């Protein structure tokens, strides 16, 4: 996992003060590992993975409903990406069609092995955490998102959104990030859905 976290650590090394890390989807894995950096003061997860140190996250996810987007993964040559219907309907549900199609057009493939890596650290055990659960998520099970938020004792908001809450509800996600920068402990972000 450390190779995947190295760019984040380089950026953190260049920070001259307190830093809040925000991760969406798989990037939650990155902030869970990189979040132990001394500059990091809080972690914000947006419909994101939050593995424990050494945890087999894929095995954990099987305990929850399989998201519909999984059926739309297209594998080729060691990489995968969402097919058009899965991207538009499941990943980007609720996003304006023109914008959703633009996002689909620039979707990059992911290495098949990306999701198998394990973290060596779970920074959420030691840092204040904030979590946005996407209640209409068809890419990650909302039940799993709720479990992760509860396990990390995160300040949590639920947004009636697909996987892309930061696109469909930017004010709510920005409010959660601002809350993290201020160190608020339990108040809901303004604009909570």
């Amino acid at each position: 996992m450390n190779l995947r976290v190295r760019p984040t650590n380089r950026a953190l090394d260049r920070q001259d003060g307190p830093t809040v890390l925000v991760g969406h989807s798989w990037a939650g894995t990155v902030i869970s590992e990189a979040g132990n950096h001394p500059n990091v003061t809080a972690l914000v997860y947006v419909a994101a993975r939050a593995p424990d140190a050494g945890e087999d996250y894929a095995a954990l996810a099987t305990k929850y409903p399989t998201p519909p987007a999984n059926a739309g993964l297209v594998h080729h040559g060691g990489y995968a990406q969402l097919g058009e219907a899965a991207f538009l309907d499941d990943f980007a549900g609720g996003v304006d069609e023109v914008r959703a199609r633009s996002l689909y057009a620039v979707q990059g493939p992911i290495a098949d092995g990306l999701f198998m890596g394990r973290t060596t650290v779970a920074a959420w055990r030691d840092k204040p955490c904030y979590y946005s659960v996407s209640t209409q998520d068809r890419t990650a099970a909302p039940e799993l998102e709720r479990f992760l938020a509860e396990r990390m004792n995160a300040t949590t908001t639920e947004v009636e959104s697909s996987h892309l809450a930061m696109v469909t509800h930017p004010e709510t996600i920005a409010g959660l990030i601002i809350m993290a920068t201020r160190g608020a402990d339990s108040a809901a972000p303004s604009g909570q859905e």
Side-chain angles (χ1 to χ4, degrees):
M1 177 53 66
N2 289 335
L3 288 176
R4 295 178 185 135
V5 174
R6 196 173 291 161
T8 304
N9 283 329
R10 277 196 305 269
L12 287 167
D13 287 342
R14 292 192 302 268
Q15 296 300 313
D16 61 1
T19 305
V20 172
L21 288 181
V22 181
H24 168 254
S25 197
W26 184 81
T29 303
V30 173
I31 70 171
S32 291
E33 179 97 11
N36 69 340
H37 192 284
N39 287 347
V40 175
T41 57
L43 304 167
V44 178
Y45 294 82
V46 181
R49 292 170 171 242
D52 204 346
E55 182 172 55
D56 182 343
Y57 189 85
L60 172 66
T62 64
K63 297 177 181 178
Y64 296 89
T66 301
N70 286 15
L73 277 171
V74 178
H75 298 270
H76 186 272
Y79 291 89
Q81 63 188 95
L82 289 171
E84 184 174 3
F87 190 96
L88 298 175
D89 299 336
D90 300 326
F91 188 78
V95 175
D96 169 77
E97 184 179 357
V98 171
R99 186 160 189 196
R101 288 191 177 282
S102 296
L103 293 170
Y104 170 71
V106 298
Q107 172 196 195
I110 54 172
D112 281 334
L114 180 69
F115 298 122
M116 295 299 125
R118 296 187 188 194
T119 59
T120 59
V121 174
W124 50 261
R125 290 196 169 276
D126 301 313
K127 303 281 173 124
C129 297
Y130 301 78
Y131 200 107
S132 175
V133 173
S134 292
T135 64
Q136 305 302 310
D137 204 328
R138 295 171 54 88
T139 302
E143 299 88 348
L144 174 57
E145 294 175 22
R146 287 184 188 105
F147 165 79
L148 296 170
E150 184 176 330
R151 177 171 76 171
M152 69 174 68
N153 197 30
T155 298
T156 305
T157 187
E158 294 207 1
V159 183
E160 192 173 330
S161 173
S162 69
H163 200 56
L164 296 181
M166 65 281 194
V167 176
T168 59
H169 296 79
E171 297 86 6
T172 302
I173 302 306
L176 192 63
I177 295 167
I178 290 167
M179 183 189 301
T181 67
R182 293 182 178 153
D185 56 0
S186 63
S190 62
Q192 180 174 350
E193 305 285 325

